[in-house]
Amino acid sequence: MKKLATLIAVALFATPACAIVGGGTPQSDGVARAVVTIVGSRGNFCTGTLIAPKLVLTVAHCVQPGAEYKIVDRGADGAPLLLNVRTVAIHPNFNMQAMQAHRATADVALLQLEIPLKGKSTVLVGAPNIPIQVGGRFVIAGIGVTVRGDGKSGGTIRLAGLVATGQPGTLQIRLVDPVTNGVRDGIGACTGDSGGPVFEDKPNGAVLVGVISWSTGPNGAAGCGGLTGVTPLTLYRDWILQTARSWGATL
């Protein structure tokens, strides 16, 4: 594992890999209190969501074998801390090549922490309303960059409201900025937002229904600000619950 200072720099100031471009104002309350930063010993950083005091949901491609992972937190004095990850579980049906080609796959993983995160809250794990409608509204959250190529613009939790486009289903949802519709630069996931939560409003409030897997630039070009690819939890919620129970966690 790299030295503390190096990992903190990676998490907070890294040059992009895939943050909410042009995202809204920084958030620290509500669902944002469940969002965490994940850093890896290979220099990557991603977003995760606290779904139990010691359980973080993220995407499989962010926590591949061969590296160590930690959670970035802040102490009472505001100084950054690195918290240990005890165990990583990756969905057995995840396929990296499919994810990289923006095809549907089980891009879901769980991290078990050694100690509970203080000052954070947990969110409910659910699934999208079926059938998912084109134009259906979702909220994404992440800690990634807001300006592509500017790593210093990342490290802050931001939320953005997007809508479903294309042919949304139980395997994959593609979201766009309702103002730009993905044909010109708009709000969307970018470097560091991978693994971030996707929320849908339910009768009892916002529920975590998916995770951010990938993004494109406008018109499907490389980059950010076009499509945001989401892995819905419809087919994977049972695996999440079973894995959590095997670790002694209750959701």
Side-chain angles (χ1 to χ4, degrees):
M1 178 61 70
K2 296 181 179 180
K3 292 182 179 180
L4 177 64
T6 303
L7 280 174
I8 295 299
V10 167
L12 301 183
F13 306 113
T15 301
C18 198
I20 297 175
V21 175
T25 56
Q27 300 288 322
S28 58
D29 295 322
V31 295
R33 293 190 63 200
V35 176
V36 302
T37 301
I38 303 167
V39 294
S41 57
R42 289 178 174 171
N44 67 305
F45 73 109
C46 288
T47 301
T49 311
L50 201 65
I51 59 174
K54 294 195 294 184
L55 200 62
V56 172
L57 177 68
T58 188
V59 286
H61 77 261
C62 278
V63 289
Q64 287 294 291
E68 296 182 24
Y69 300 94
K70 292 186 181 284
I71 302 297
V72 179
D73 196 14
R74 294 192 181 275
D77 59 355
L81 302 171
L82 288 180
L83 301 182
N84 291 332
V85 172
R86 175 180 293 174
T87 310
V88 176
I90 295 172
H91 196 285
N93 293 333
F94 171 67
N95 183 286
M96 179 68 82
Q97 289 71 33
M99 187 283 302
Q100 291 174 334
H102 299 168
R103 299 195 305 270
T105 187
D107 196 10
V108 177
L110 288 173
L111 308 181
Q112 183 187 35
L113 310 182
E114 287 190 350
I115 60 173
L117 279 172
K118 296 181 179 179
K120 304 291 285 186
S121 60
T122 61
V123 293
L124 293 175
V125 177
N129 293 325
I130 300 296
I132 302 166
Q133 302 291 334
V134 172
R137 296 182 176 276
F138 297 86
V139 172
I140 66 173
I143 54 86
V145 301
T146 58
V147 179
R148 190 182 180 212
D150 180 6
K152 292 184 179 180
S153 67
T156 299
I157 301 169
R158 297 177 186 271
L159 276 60
L162 305 177
V163 298
T165 189
Q167 297 178 318
T170 57
L171 296 176
Q172 191 175 79
I173 308 171
R174 298 183 175 205
L175 304 180
V176 292
D177 183 338
V179 176
T180 63
N181 203 34
V183 298
R184 63 183 191 277
D185 283 331
I187 295 173
C190 197
T191 304
D193 284 330
S194 289
V198 180
F199 296 101
E200 185 176 31
D201 277 338
K202 304 280 189 176
N204 294 326
V207 175
L208 175 60
V209 298
V211 286
I212 299 169
S213 285
W214 51 265
S215 70
T216 73
N219 298 307
C224 313
L227 292 174
T228 295
V230 172
T231 299
L233 301 182
T234 311
L235 303 180
Y236 312 120
R237 185 173 183 272
D238 285 347
W239 176 83
I240 293 169
L241 296 178
Q242 291 169 8
T243 304
R245 282 196 293 269
S246 72
W247 289 345
T250 302
L251 303 185

